[in-house]
DNA sequence: GAGATATGTCAACAAGGCTGACATAAAATG
DNA sequence: CATTTTATGTCAGCCTTGTTGACATATCTC
């Protein structure tokens, strides 16, 4: 089988040249795509008196029931004061519940309430629609290529952390 | 040649099911990837007393010499008041030059100064490094897959506009 | 019991969005 | 040519979401 012969990877040859020419196309496409991607939930969030910061918090809490404050801070990379402002509102409006930790009673374990879970799902589906629409008409391996690429855009130090977070702990 | 037989596209079969399950993986990877992607230039921008808003303005002006205010507003999707705040600073610090239009003297045509062009290039190269690093070790058609996907994430109404903007007017 | 850790909170500030109102110059139009 | 429309600028104030610094409390660890 010809597959046994390793293919020559062209990126080794052109790397230096390519590194000098800015990848304007991808830079700009990434900007426009993200702009539209995050704008979808805005209208709905507005109805609840929430903003994008609330969305991010609700999303990750819903995805990881029992998330602690420290873990959430690590994901969002904001200060605890910034987090607390939006988190407080989400708790007051009964979208997130904060329980005292059992093993470590200093910790606060965060859970989405039924109402919070519902909103999180609604917003996720909205974004999923755009994601899947863009994926349709692509090769079957398209999704795998995209997610591998996005993962490799992340800082190498964080990559493992994000991978566990997104795909689950897998083999522990 | 077997290629003449059109392949059955699996997305037609699974579409309804997939549409119901949120694509949490891509949603989250997109969030983390963009977070790191825009953070690269931050340190350099800080040295000049600029922020991300300045970066976006400088980038597009540098890419499209002679860009008008209206076109820039259309790209950035912000109000003219917001734009003017950062644009004024970029002009005062001599990174962007504003010339009165020739055909239409009401317009302001924006140009990056040599200093502005240099900064824009520096920032673009920084982001290009990340983009290309993530692209290395990928299939040769990887870049094409990515850019096609990002383009399809954009609102359909804007897609042609963005395409012209990113890849040039092509056949006019 | 002492120190470290997880969280909460107050106060002030900055960046970068927004709205509304109004001004000016130049083009377009009847 | 008078009127209206368009492109831009500007003032004033507000909101969201980020920041720093300081300090408080409860709980865990040693």
């Amino acid at each position: 089988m010809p597959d046994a012969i390793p293919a020559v990877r062209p990126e080794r040859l052109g790397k230096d040249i390519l590194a000098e020419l800015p990848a304007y196309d991808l830079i700009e496409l990434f900007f426009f795509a993200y702009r539209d991607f995050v704008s979808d939930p805005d209208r709905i969030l507005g109805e609840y008196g929430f903003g994008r910061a609330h969305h991010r918090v609700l999303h990750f809490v819903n995805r990881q029931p029992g998330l602690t404050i420290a873990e959430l801070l690590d994901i969002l990379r904001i200060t605890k004061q910034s987090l607390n402002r939006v988190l407080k509102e989400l708790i007051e409006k009964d979208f997130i519940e904060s329980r005292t930790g059992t093993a470590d009673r200093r910790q606060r374990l965060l859970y989405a309430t039924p109402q919070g879970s519902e909103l999180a799902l609604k917003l996720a589906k909205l974004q999923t629609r755009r994601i899947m629409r863009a994926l349709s008409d692509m090769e079957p391996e398209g999704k795998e290529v995209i997610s591998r690429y996005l993962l490799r855009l992340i800082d190498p130090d964080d990559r493992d952390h994000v991978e566990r977070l997104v795909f689950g702990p897998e083999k522990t």
Side-chain angles (χ1 to χ4, degrees), chain A:
Chain A
M1 291 166 75
D3 283 333
I5 303 165
V8 174
R9 285 273 156 71
E11 72 272 5
R12 288 306 313 163
L13 298 165
K15 201 168 197 174
D16 298 336
I17 295 158
L18 291 172
E20 295 311 308
L21 299 175
Y24 286 126
D25 50 354
L26 285 179
I27 289 175
E28 288 163 13
L29 287 172
F30 209 29
F31 164 75
F32 289 114
Y34 195 77
R35 180 193 67 179
D36 289 352
F37 173 70
V38 295
S39 78
D40 279 335
D42 282 357
R43 207 167 38 88
I44 291 172
L45 287 164
E47 293 169 12
Y48 292 83
F50 292 144
R52 291 177 186 180
H54 302 86
H55 182 197
R56 290 193 287 269
V57 170
L58 181 60
H59 174 93
F60 285 108
V61 168
N62 185 55
R63 268 277 279 173
Q64 313 224 343
L67 202 63
T68 67
I69 302 287
E71 286 165 342
L72 194 46
L73 287 175
D74 194 46
I75 289 170
L76 301 175
R77 299 250 192 96
I78 58 176
T79 60
K80 62 178 174 177
Q81 294 92 325
S82 293
L83 171 57
N84 230 276
R85 187 164 36 206
V86 296
L87 183 56
K88 204 189 280 179
E89 289 169 5
L90 284 164
I91 292 172
E92 278 168 4
K93 292 188 181 172
D94 195 37
F95 285 78
I96 285 182
E97 189 189 345
S98 168
R99 300 182 204 156
T100 297
T102 47
D104 186 336
R105 290 177 45 81
R106 290 172 302 180
Q107 292 182 329
R108 299 288 171 266
L109 307 186
L110 304 173
Y111 296 88
T113 64
Q115 193 189 183
S117 218
E118 193 188 351
L119 177 55
L121 187 61
K122 193 170 168 185
L123 297 173
K125 279 185 178 175
L126 205 57
Q127 295 188 298
T128 299
R129 193 166 314 154
R130 182 181 293 269
I131 283 175
M132 298 314 277
R133 187 191 61 197
L135 223 43
S136 71
D137 298 335
M138 281 191 73
E139 307 72 29
E141 66 273 22
K143 180 173 176 170
E144 215 270 314
V145 173
I146 310 289
S147 59
R148 196 151 38 88
Y149 183 70
L150 291 176
L151 187 63
R152 290 180 52 86
L153 275 180
I154 297 167
D155 283 341
D157 340 18
D158 266 32
R159 218 172 280 163
D160 288 355
H161 176 223
V162 168
E163 208 168 357
R164 279 195 304 278
L165 207 134
V166 172
F167 299 110
E170 303 290 278
K171 45 220 165 194
T172 310

